[in-house]
Amino acid sequence: MLINLNSDNIFSCENYLDIASNIGAEIFTIGFSVEKRPIIALKKGTGKIKVLFVSRIHGNEPATTQAMLEFFNNYNSKDITIFGILLANPDGASLFEQLWLQNREPHWKNSFNNARLNAAGVDLNRDWFDLSQEETRAIRRFIFSIRPDFVIDHHEFYWSDKGYPPKQPIEDEDGFMATMTDAPFYGVHQFVKEISKKAMYTLIEKLENDFQWKIKVRHFAGKSDNNIEIPTVLGIYLALRGIPKLLVETWGVGCSTLLLEQRIKFHYLSMKYITNWIRSEESSFLNKPESLQLLRYNLKDADSRKIDLFLRKLGLHQIKFKKEKDSVIVNIPTTEVGFIDTIHNSIFERKRM
Ligand SMILES: [Zn+2]
C-alpha cells in the first residue's frame, strides 16, 4: 500500500496530493473549494472510452481516496482512459483529518458529521440540481468537459447504531457491508439504465467472490407514481444526463481504521473490475445513441416567474435553448430528454405537451 495503514498521516490531505503527483498520472486542478483548496483530477490512458471515478464527495468517507491512489498507481493500460476526482470535497476531507487525529476510536458516534459537508455546511451530494457551491459547479464543468462513458461515485456509509457494539461490522443488524446503486428508472434513457444495471451485477458477482461481505442492491426507481424526482444527488443527475453510473459504498463512516484495508480493497477492486468490464463491452459504449431530439415546451399562459426560473435552470446546466413567443425549444441528445423534462415538470408541475 502507498500509505502505511498504521501511520499518523494516513488521512493526510497533503500526503494524498504528494502521492498523487508521484504515480505517473496527469494532474489537473479543476476548481477550488469554499476554503480555496484545489480540487484535483487525475488521468491515465489515451483510449477513446473514458471512465471517471469520484471519491470523497463526503469528507468523512476516507477509504475511497486511498483506493483511487492505489488504482491509479497500478493502472498501466492505455486503451481505456481513466479519470479520478481524488477529493471532491477537500474542505470536508481536511476537517476529517483534523478530527480523526483528535479522536481515533472506531465508534458510530465518531462519524464527524461536519466533515461530511463542505466548509459552507452544504452536503455536496444534495446540490446537483441547484449547483449552489463552488465544488459542485467545478466538478460539473469538468465532467461535461470530458464527457465520461461511465462514472462510479464512491462512498462509505454509516455504522449503524443498532445492536452496538458489533464485534465485527458483519454482525451489524443491517447485515450488509457494502451497497451498490445503479441508475434510477424514471426519466432515464434505456441505454443508461441497461449499462448501469449490467455493470452493477457484474461487479457484485465478482466482489462477492472476493469478500464474505453481503452486498445490498439499492435502486432509486423514482417515486412510485412515476412522478418527478429532482436530481439533487450526483448519481441521479448523471443518469438523467445520459451517463451510465454506479454508486459503490462500503461500511465505514465512524469506523476509523477498523477494516480499513478491506474497505480500500473493495473500492480498489470496483475500479479495476469496472475498467476491465468496460474493455470487454467496448462495442456497447462505442455504439451509444448519439441522435438529437428537438423538444418544444409550450409555455402559453404559464406564470412569467416560472418561465424565468425554467430558462435560468437551463442556463445553469448549460443547456442551449431558443425562446419563441409561446414556447421554448431545446435540441438535445435523446439520452438527456429526461433531464430537461424533469426541470420543466418540476417547475410547471405538469408534463411536456
Ligand atoms: Zn457519501
Side-chain angles (χ1 to χ4, degrees):
M1 287 239 178
L2 292 162
I3 307 174
N4 174 351
L5 298 185
N6 299 313
S7 69
D8 275 355
N9 67 354
I10 184 169
F11 299 130
S12 157
C13 294
E14 205 181 316
N15 193 30
Y16 293 144
L17 299 184
D18 273 358
I19 293 170
S21 57
N22 286 300
I23 53 177
E26 282 178 61
I27 298 188
F28 313 85
T29 298
I30 63 169
F32 292 88
S33 65
V34 170
E35 289 182 343
K36 306 294 173 220
R37 290 185 175 87
I39 302 170
I40 300 297
L42 311 177
K43 178 188 178 189
K44 266 193 176 182
T46 50
K48 191 167 187 298
I49 298 179
K50 292 167 276 187
V51 53
L52 168 69
F53 306 103
V54 180
S55 285
R56 219 62 183 277
I57 201 161
H58 295 134
N60 58 351
E61 302 172 5
T64 59
T65 299
Q66 278 156 275
M68 184 179 289
L69 289 172
E70 296 287 342
F71 180 64
F72 275 75
N73 186 40
N74 289 335
Y75 187 78
N76 291 311
S77 313
K78 297 235 182 305
D79 55 347
I80 307 286
T81 304
I82 59 167
F83 290 93
I85 297 175
L86 189 65
L87 297 164
N89 173 7
D91 294 346
S94 174
L95 178 61
F96 174 82
E97 174 191 347
Q98 294 162 38
L99 295 170
W100 179 79
L101 286 169
Q102 291 157 26
N103 183 355
R104 304 178 189 199
E105 187 201 354
H107 193 293
W108 61 269
K109 285 182 179 164
N110 293 337
S111 55
F112 308 141
N113 275 322
N114 288 342
R116 174 182 170 90
L117 315 173
N118 75 348
V122 173
D123 184 333
L124 297 177
N125 206 26
R126 299 291 181 273
D127 190 44
W128 287 87
F129 196 56
D130 293 331
L131 298 172
S132 70
Q133 301 300 300
E134 298 288 340
E135 293 92 340
T136 37
R137 285 195 293 268
I139 296 166
R140 196 209 66 82
R141 209 164 43 234
F142 176 69
I143 291 175
F144 287 91
S145 72
I146 63 168
R147 281 255 166 207
D149 296 283
F150 198 95
V151 175
I152 299 191
D153 184 17
H154 293 270
H155 288 258
E156 295 200 274
F157 60 84
Y158 283 77
W159 182 345
S160 163
D161 60 351
K162 285 180 248 162
Y164 181 81
K167 290 184 187 62
Q168 285 296 317
I170 202 138
E171 296 168 13
D172 194 309
E173 275 186 12
D174 291 337
F176 57 88
M177 287 292 296
T179 75
M180 284 202 198
T181 315
D182 64 348
F185 283 133
Y186 182 67
V188 173
H189 192 275
Q190 194 63 23
F191 168 80
V192 175
K193 279 192 282 198
E194 276 171 15
I195 291 270
S196 303
K197 188 174 167 192
K198 216 166 155 188
M200 178 172 76
Y201 285 109
T202 303
L203 263 194
I204 288 176
E205 199 190 322
K206 287 197 166 293
L207 288 162
E208 279 185 342
N209 256 325
D210 296 330
F211 289 80
Q212 296 302 303
W213 296 0
K214 218 157 85 186
I215 302 169
K216 181 178 180 172
V217 173
R218 300 194 306 167
H219 187 90
F220 299 127
K223 294 180 183 172
S224 54
D225 57 354
N226 254 3
N227 226 318
I228 303 146
E229 180 88 22
I230 305 291
T232 57
V233 304
L234 175 63
I236 297 178
Y237 182 71
L238 292 175
L240 283 171
R241 298 221 54 183
I243 301 174
K245 55 72 62 172
L246 264 189
L247 187 149
V248 172
E249 196 175 37
T250 49
W251 179 91
V253 171
C255 300
S256 185
T257 56
L258 193 56
L259 290 188
L260 183 59
E261 192 172 348
Q262 288 95 318
R263 288 150 55 198
I264 293 171
K265 194 174 158 205
F266 194 94
H267 288 284
Y268 171 86
L269 288 175
S270 303
M271 295 173 188
K272 183 177 156 183
Y273 291 151
I274 206 73
T275 308
N276 291 342
W277 179 76
I278 288 171
R279 183 176 294 121
S280 72
E281 288 281 321
E282 199 178 17
S283 59
S284 321
F285 286 95
L286 293 174
N287 291 324
K288 74 174 169 205
E290 303 267 17
S291 59
L292 294 174
Q293 190 168 337
L294 196 73
L295 304 177
R296 179 184 291 272
Y297 293 94
N298 182 355
L299 303 178
K300 195 166 186 287
D301 306 324
D303 182 327
S304 66
R305 283 165 309 177
K306 286 186 175 180
I307 295 174
D308 284 349
L309 179 60
F310 182 46
L311 299 184
R312 262 189 298 159
K313 279 280 186 211
L314 292 177
L316 177 68
H317 291 279
Q318 296 190 336
I319 290 152
K320 291 198 188 91
F321 58 86
K322 206 167 119 200
K323 172 98 172 62
E324 292 190 345
K325 188 169 169 287
D326 286 325
S327 59
V328 169
I329 295 165
V330 186
N331 192 21
I332 49 133
T334 48
T335 51
E336 297 193 52
V337 169
F339 180 68
I340 326 289
D341 275 348
T342 302
I343 299 181
H344 169 270
N345 298 356
S346 68
I347 291 171
F348 296 100
E349 293 162 353
R350 66 179 190 205
K351 294 196 173 173
R352 168 163 46 100
M353 288 180 280

